[in-house]
Amino acid sequence: MSSQIKPIRLNGLPDDLRHELIEERRKRGWSQAELGQRLGLPQMHISGIETGKIVPRFDTLLDLVRVLDRDLLTVPRALVPAVQALIRDHRRPHRDTDMDNGERPLYAANDDEEEDEPR
């Protein structure tokens, strides 16, 4: 018995990925044309990717995220919520940030520990 497996095709990049790419481009002050020049792509192609009308080839997507100082990772689906929570926490300002070097502690202090400190 022979069964054909149909590949899953995207109609476009997921909205959250497209929005993150747009946000990263804008943070750098780059126009679509400038990003395209850095990738060797026309501005219309960048526009098509950002609007979801064009699904880039994998190598193009990889070049795109890397020029924006990002990377692609494969994550087991069961761990996606945990990874997303880590990313949200990384983006959120933290009250225990070391103002001298902008670093946050790996482990946040418990509220109990803070209360034990002399006042």
Side-chain angles (χ1 to χ4, degrees):
M1 180 156 109
S2 164
S3 66
Q4 281 189 327
I5 299 175
K6 290 185 179 182
I8 298 173
R9 299 271 180 192
L10 292 176
N11 292 332
L13 291 177
D15 288 343
D16 56 341
L17 176 57
R18 288 187 305 104
H19 293 298
E20 188 172 336
L21 294 174
I22 293 167
E23 181 181 327
E24 288 302 317
R25 174 181 60 78
R26 288 178 177 164
K27 275 185 190 175
R28 286 162 177 72
W30 296 347
S31 65
Q32 290 177 342
E34 186 172 355
L35 177 58
Q37 287 174 344
R38 293 170 184 271
L39 294 168
L41 299 171
Q43 177 273 329
M44 287 183 63
H45 197 80
I46 299 298
S47 175
I49 292 170
E50 289 185 354
T51 60
K53 294 177 182 172
I54 294 175
V55 180
R57 295 185 329 215
F58 179 76
D59 59 331
T60 301
L61 179 60
L62 192 56
D63 289 344
L64 176 57
V65 297
R66 287 188 173 164
V67 80
L68 294 171
D69 198 29
R70 299 293 195 177
D71 214 336
L72 296 176
L73 298 173
T74 60
V75 177
R77 286 183 190 234
L79 295 178
V80 168
V83 171
Q84 288 173 330
L86 287 169
I87 292 169
R88 276 192 307 271
D89 183 57
H90 177 74
R91 289 180 177 163
R92 185 179 321 131
H94 199 276
R95 65 184 174 105
D96 293 332
T97 301
D98 180 347
M99 298 308 244
D100 294 334
N101 61 12
E103 292 183 11
R104 290 185 286 175
L106 182 57
Y107 300 101
N110 292 336
D111 290 337
D112 296 339
E113 290 175 2
E114 291 175 3
E115 290 175 10
D116 291 342
E117 293 178 10
R119 296 177 188 192

